[in-house]
Amino acid sequence: QKEVEQDPGPLSVPEGAIVSLNCTYSNSAFQYFMWYRQYSRKGPELLMYTYSSGNKEDGRFTAQVDKSSKYISLFIRDSQPSDSATYLCAMTIYTGNQFYFGTGTSLTVIP
Amino acid sequence: DGGITQSPKYLFRKEGQNVTLSCEQNLNHDAMYWYRQDPGQGLRLIYYSQIVNDFQKGDIAEGYSVSREKKESFPLTVTSAQKNPTAFYLCASSPDRGTDTQYFGPGTRLTVL
């Protein structure tokens, strides 16, 4: 079983839609959770970072962590064509240690 | 500007040649990482280093070597023993047990001719 599972998509939505991206994990020791956005042929860019259960909001993005279910989500409100990218979830026991990544979900927002 | 730099952006290598990819960070991070990214396979960890002069193998270390002589630098050598080296290589860094997380460089695209 992989440490982190993520649906690879691809996911295609109309502009303005609410997007939900999800990851599940198996290691209950994970404490830090991240979402990265990666455009084609670029390095991943950190979008959201949290180390507690619950919701964290930043503009149109909301990260949700449910440690009891070992499940994290990223919600994108009012999606824009510029949101078209691959989204990677990642997690670790503590920073400085090994990070574990999902395989990424490819998102296309259609104008 | 604080950040992570990788050079070159594109690299071409003939079969049988070793090649070294550069990674430098000025974030004062203790830990540095090298990943390989192939289409449909996500990020795979090659090596990581939590402190100067120490590093650990990741999931796919065979055919690669690293050094960590300075905190700011973590070069990756792709040796001729790596059977399928054409890929996108990403360097990252993070603090050790801090409140910040992992950040990535822009990547190097290596193509073996």
Side-chain angles (χ1 to χ4, degrees), chain B residues 11-25:
Chain B
L11 188 57
F12 298 89
R13 187 195 92 175
K14 292 182 180 179
E15 278 194 37
Q17 288 182 337
N18 293 353
V19 63
T20 298
L21 281 59
S22 168
C23 178
E24 303 276 334
Q25 55 99 0

Side-chain angles (χ1 to χ4, degrees), chain A residues 27-33 50-52 67 91-94:
Chain A
N27 189 346
S28 58
F30 288 143
Q31 298 293 326
Y32 297 85
F33 304 91
T50 182
Y51 48 85
S52 60
K67 289 185 179 179
M91 47 202 77
T92 186
I93 297 171
Y94 63 87

Side-chain angles (χ1 to χ4, degrees), chain A residues 34 36 38 49 95-97, chain B residues 33 37 50 97-98 100-102:
Chain A
M34 289 127 296
Y36 290 88
Q38 186 178 24
Y49 165 50
T95 58
N97 199 5
Chain B
Y33 309 77
Q37 190 173 38
Q50 293 173 298
R97 301 179 188 267
D100 207 351
T101 186
Q102 189 176 83

Side-chain angles (χ1 to χ4, degrees), chain B residues 38-52:
Chain B
D38 297 281
Q41 294 201 44
L43 293 171
R44 292 186 289 169
L45 181 66
I46 304 172
Y47 271 98
Y48 70 107
S49 167
Q50 293 173 298
I51 195 169
V52 173

